[in-house]
Amino acid sequence: MGNIAAMTKSPASPRQEPATQAWSSWYLTIPKLAVTLLLVLLIALLWLLRQNEVEEQRSTLIADVLWLEQNVRFHLDGNTETLQQLALDIAFERDANRLFATRARHILRNSPELTQIFWLDAQGRMIDALPPAGTTPAAPAKAAKNNTSTLASERADKLLKPVYSDILGESGEASFELHLPVREPDSAGNAGRARGEIVAVYSLDALLKHLTPWWLAEKYQVRIVDGNGKVLASKSRVDAGDPLLSYKLAFDPPGYGLLFHVTAYKVASSVAQTLIATLILILAGAVLLSLWVVHGLIQRRLAAEQALRAEHAFRKAMEDSLTVGMRARDRDGRITYVNPAFCQMVGFSPEELIGCAPPMPYWAPEEKEKSEGFYHATLAGRGPGEGFELRFRHKNGERVDVLVCTAPLINADGEHTGWMSSILDITARKRADELARQQEEKLQVTSRLVTMGEMASMLAHELNQPLAAIASYNTGCLNKLESGTYTVGELRDALGKLGVQAQRAGQIIRRVHDFVRKSEPKLAPCDLAEMVDDSIGFIEAVAKSRNVRILREVQGMRPEIQADRVMLEQVLVNLMRNAVEAMADLPPERRNLTIALARVDRQMQIRVIDTGPGIPEDTRDKLFTPFFSSKPEGMGMGLNICRSIIEFHHGRLWLEANPQGGCVFVINLPISTETAADGPAS
């Protein structure tokens, strides 16, 4: 019920709607932009982290290559110093062969990258070699006319210092030589006459194999290439893939364009790092997607709210335009909503009514108990669905007759939250009904007077008979008294007959008086058989004058009903008089009028059957319409009044066709006819 009270407020004006929509648009756009920017920043951050990782890998690669080059160079320099010392020692040592063998074996054992050490004399002949000459595939000597070795030997001899040769052999067997001159010292201790040279042969594969540490081989592919990019030696434990980074550094010594070419390949990144990055991107995407979904939901909600405001404005305009009062109450009976029509009906403002609990300020004091009874019946759910009539008191003291229809209020969750009532002002209708009732009573009296006027001559004839008999009996009694010859018995019989005729005349006069007098309807126990007999008594004289035979068919067992006898007699007399008039053109032997009374289920049924020409089909529907008559001189109110009287008794009156010709007017009256009880109210 709270929603009804809330809906009594004025809806948002149309000018506010664009501002609200613009605000909601910005309100939804800013989070979307923020999340989009966050997603872009996350992608940029991941890209920067990746670039930073690449740069770090590059820096690490360069540092590792420099370390490798330095380690190889230090190792080569160490070997050079050792071999120089060997060359110097064998120049001074008398037992040089033994010294060479001992020292060379030691050097080869400590330097696996050296494949062979030669000791050549000044003419290039081999003095000694370790391993012995011929046991290795590479045994260069001047005698072999090896230009590379010869050039390196000549340079070493001229420069009097160790000299590295150019690369010898192909990939997989590539090597280079270190030439160290051996000179006899002079008297001053300086280098003197040449006594030959020592040649140390390095294998590039062995060099990389023994001088490249395992951790470096696990990370990179290390290769030695010449100036043309040809790979001479290589070492790596990395599965070849797409190259990521590479770095080249001059391999000097020995030089001659040799390069260390170290390559880093793409490897599977850290699972945790990849998972975290993926989850971040998924989360950012999910947030953005959820914002889009929320945007759609909010748009639909705004559209629904806008539709609700429009619907509320439409409904409020409709309720404000109603002439029917609307009133809502919660389950405790407090008023939660009223429309302008109701406020105008009772004269109180909404502020004075909303929140009020019984007794209501618009209840009429004379109907307080009735109002309370209907109030409690409504709250208990026992209010009649067809509504009930009450009388309200306007704020200025005037009385207002209303018809109240109440229905339960059910919210969206299916819960009963209160009651909604529609209140119809029926004051004018009640006045019109009362005026119509008075007019109808006048018409009924007029109709009875007209009927009696039409039957006046017949009634006068009927009255003349008992009056003439009274006069005759009176004259006879007087004559007997004057003659003096009479007996008491004769006078008693004459006076008794005179009294019977007087009673007969009195009954005729009383019947006419009751029939034509104006009175309020009175419901009392009524024997329909007696009512039928009295009605036949009214019409019998007319029927005889027109040669119409009246047949009476009355069921033996008949219960009494609650009815106004005079009003029912008026209906029956009108129907019988119409039937008598309808058979005026028939032969006398066919003029039969039957009045049948029988019980049908819980109703008593009266049938007025004539054998006249009948009523055409196109006229039957109009027969009970006011001011419609099939008689040239008729007013058209007789049958309409008859139907109103029967409906007042909660019965029915209708017309059927007589299979033998003519019409059958049927009257059904309930056996337990009671005055309509007052219906429940507010």
Side-chain angles (χ1 to χ4, degrees):
M1 295 299 296
N3 56 349
I4 296 178
M7 291 178 69
T8 58
K9 301 178 181 178
S10 299
S13 63
R15 295 182 180 178
Q16 295 175 346
E17 295 168 7
T20 303
Q21 293 176 354
W23 172 84
S24 63
S25 177
W26 278 107
Y27 179 77
L28 293 172
T29 302
I30 291 174
K32 288 193 291 185
L33 290 177
V35 173
T36 303
L37 181 61
L38 174 62
L39 184 59
V40 171
L41 291 177
L42 284 174
I43 294 174
L45 177 62
L46 292 175
W47 182 81
L48 289 175
L49 289 175
R50 180 62 180 167
Q51 292 299 112
N52 185 48
E53 182 181 359
V54 171
E55 289 298 325
E56 287 183 359
Q57 288 181 349
R58 184 173 182 82
S59 299
T60 303
L61 172 63
I62 294 174
D64 291 341
V65 173
L66 290 174
W67 180 89
L68 176 63
E69 186 272 337
Q70 185 180 23
N71 183 48
V72 172
R73 182 158 50 82
F74 284 169
H75 197 78
L76 291 178
D77 290 345
N79 287 342
T80 300
E81 291 178 0
T82 302
L83 290 171
Q84 280 182 320
Q85 186 63 42
L86 175 59
L88 182 61
D89 289 343
I90 63 175
F92 288 96
E93 185 65 37
R94 294 183 181 275
D95 193 3
N97 290 338
R98 186 175 61 82
L99 178 63
F100 174 80
T102 302
R103 298 281 292 276
R105 187 177 294 107
H106 177 72
I107 293 171
L108 289 172
R109 186 168 56 249
N110 292 328
S111 300
E113 67 276 5
L114 289 171
T115 59
Q116 206 166 23
I117 300 176
F118 297 96
W119 180 15
L120 305 177
D121 60 11
Q123 287 74 33
R125 293 187 298 269
M126 185 180 299
I127 298 174
D128 199 356
L130 284 177
T135 61
T136 60
K142 289 184 179 180
K145 304 296 183 184
N146 190 316
N147 293 331
T148 301
S149 296
T150 302
L151 291 174
S153 179
E154 291 176 353
R155 290 179 61 195
D157 186 59
K158 290 179 180 180
L159 297 175
L160 298 178
K161 66 177 183 178
V163 173
Y164 289 93
S165 70
D166 200 352
I167 297 301
L168 302 171
E170 299 295 332
S171 177
E173 297 180 356
S175 62
F176 64 90
E177 298 174 350
L178 175 61
H179 292 260
L180 300 98
V182 179
R183 296 246 178 195
E184 291 182 0
D186 57 12
S187 57
N190 297 321
R193 181 175 62 86
R195 291 189 58 184
E197 64 179 341
I198 293 177
V199 180
V201 180
Y202 284 91
S203 170
L204 289 178
D205 279 340
L207 184 69
L208 287 182
K209 178 180 179 182
H210 295 290
L211 297 184
T212 302
W214 65 268
W215 55 268
L216 199 63
E218 293 284 348
K219 295 170 61 178
Y220 312 110
Q221 184 179 44
V222 182
R223 292 175 291 183
I224 298 176
V225 298
D226 59 13
N228 297 322
K230 183 179 179 181
V231 178
L232 301 177
S234 176
K235 181 180 180 181
S236 177
R237 293 184 181 179
V238 180
D239 294 334
D242 295 332
L244 178 64
L245 296 171
S246 64
Y247 188 72
K248 293 180 180 180
L249 184 64
F251 184 14
D252 187 17
Y256 301 103
L258 291 180
L259 298 170
F260 281 113
H261 188 191
V262 181
T263 303
Y265 289 91
K266 291 182 179 179
V267 295
S269 58
S270 171
V271 176
Q273 180 180 359
T274 304
L275 181 61
I276 291 174
T278 304
L279 289 177
I280 290 175
L281 291 176
I282 292 175
L283 180 61
V287 171
L288 185 60
L289 179 61
S290 65
L291 273 180
W292 280 105
V293 174
V294 170
H295 173 268
L297 292 175
I298 293 179
Q299 289 292 343
R300 287 194 291 273
R301 178 176 178 179
L302 290 175
E305 290 178 353
Q306 178 62 26
L308 181 62
R309 285 193 292 269
E311 183 68 21
H312 170 58
F314 175 78
R315 197 207 71 172
K316 190 174 187 305
M318 180 177 65
E319 290 177 358
D320 291 346
S321 67
L322 289 176
T323 58
V324 177
M326 304 294 293
R327 179 198 61 196
R329 294 182 298 189
D330 60 20
R331 298 195 64 177
D332 295 328
R334 291 183 175 84
I335 297 177
T336 58
Y337 167 76
V338 289
N339 73 336
F342 182 79
C343 295
Q344 185 178 3
M345 192 181 300
V346 297
F348 293 94
S349 66
E351 292 76 14
E352 294 175 303
L353 293 177
I354 292 178
C356 285
M360 300 301 179
Y362 49 82
W363 281 0
E366 64 272 16
E367 292 194 355
K368 182 179 179 181
E369 294 183 1
K370 181 180 178 182
S371 300
E372 287 180 348
F374 288 126
Y375 163 77
H376 292 299
T378 300
L379 291 188
R382 293 183 281 103
E386 67 275 8
F388 46 85
E389 293 184 7
L390 260 186
R391 178 165 292 174
F392 285 169
R393 181 186 65 180
H394 194 274
K395 192 175 182 179
N396 60 10
E398 294 181 1
R399 296 302 189 262
V400 181
D401 292 313
V402 295
L403 175 65
V404 182
C405 297
T406 303
L409 269 176
I410 308 299
N411 63 11
D413 298 326
E415 298 176 351
H416 180 204
T417 58
W419 306 89
M420 173 63 77
S421 300
S422 60
I423 298 96
L424 181 64
D425 186 351
I426 59 172
T427 305
R429 193 189 77 183
K430 294 269 287 187
R431 291 173 182 170
D433 290 345
E434 178 62 22
L435 181 60
R437 187 187 65 80
Q438 294 175 2
Q439 294 294 333
E440 187 173 342
E441 287 182 2
K442 292 180 181 179
L443 283 174
Q444 291 176 16
V445 174
T446 302
S447 176
R448 291 197 289 268
L449 289 174
V450 170
T451 301
M452 296 308 299
E454 293 175 352
M455 296 189 302
S457 61
M458 300 300 174
L459 290 173
H461 176 71
E462 188 174 354
L463 279 173
N464 280 333
Q465 292 179 358
L467 291 176
I470 290 172
S472 176
Y473 286 126
N474 184 59
T475 301
C477 289
L478 290 175
N479 292 333
K480 284 286 186 181
L481 289 173
E482 289 177 358
S483 66
T485 57
Y486 63 90
T487 63
V488 175
E490 291 176 342
L491 290 177
R492 184 183 297 111
D493 291 340
L495 290 175
K497 292 179 180 179
L498 187 148
V500 169
Q501 295 299 322
Q503 288 180 357
R504 180 183 175 190
Q507 288 177 351
I508 294 172
I509 294 172
R510 176 184 56 78
R511 188 185 305 159
V512 173
H513 177 266
D514 290 342
F515 188 78
V516 299
R517 70 188 178 92
K518 179 182 180 297
S519 63
E520 294 292 332
K522 295 180 181 180
L523 298 179
C526 175
D527 187 339
L528 291 182
E530 294 180 1
M531 186 272 297
V532 169
D533 291 340
D534 287 346
S535 301
I536 292 174
F538 275 117
I539 204 69
E540 193 170 16
V542 177
K544 287 180 179 179
S545 67
R546 300 193 180 184
N547 297 318
V548 176
R549 184 174 57 176
I550 300 177
L551 303 177
R552 178 177 177 277
E553 297 178 359
V554 178
Q555 180 179 329
M557 295 297 295
R558 54 186 186 273
E560 291 184 340
I561 66 170
Q562 294 289 326
D564 187 304
R565 179 169 180 158
V566 174
M567 295 176 72
L568 292 182
E569 285 180 357
Q570 179 181 356
V571 173
L572 205 54
V573 167
N574 281 338
L575 295 178
M576 289 190 296
R577 182 167 58 84
N578 289 342
V580 169
E581 293 175 354
M583 295 184 290
D585 297 332
L586 295 178
E589 64 273 10
R590 291 186 55 192
R591 300 175 187 177
N592 296 323
L593 174 61
T594 303
I595 311 300
L597 174 63
R599 176 171 178 170
V600 179
D601 296 330
R602 293 186 57 81
Q603 294 181 331
M604 295 302 295
Q605 186 176 88
I606 304 173
R607 298 168 68 87
V608 179
I609 308 169
D610 66 66
T611 57
I615 297 176
E617 288 286 343
D618 56 347
T619 307
R620 289 184 185 179
D621 296 336
K622 305 175 184 178
L623 200 60
F624 294 94
T625 304
F627 306 109
F628 175 81
S629 176
S630 59
K631 304 175 185 178
E633 71 282 0
M635 293 189 303
M637 292 299 295
L639 289 178
N640 179 260
I641 292 174
C642 291
R643 172 170 279 185
S644 299
I645 292 173
I646 297 303
E647 289 177 352
F648 171 78
H649 289 82
H650 305 284
R652 288 181 60 213
L653 169 62
W654 72 93
L655 172 65
E656 295 179 355
N658 187 356
Q660 300 175 358
C663 296
V664 179
F665 283 89
V666 184
I667 300 172
N668 270 9
L669 294 170
I671 292 176
S672 299
T673 303
E674 297 177 358
T675 303
D678 293 330
S682 167

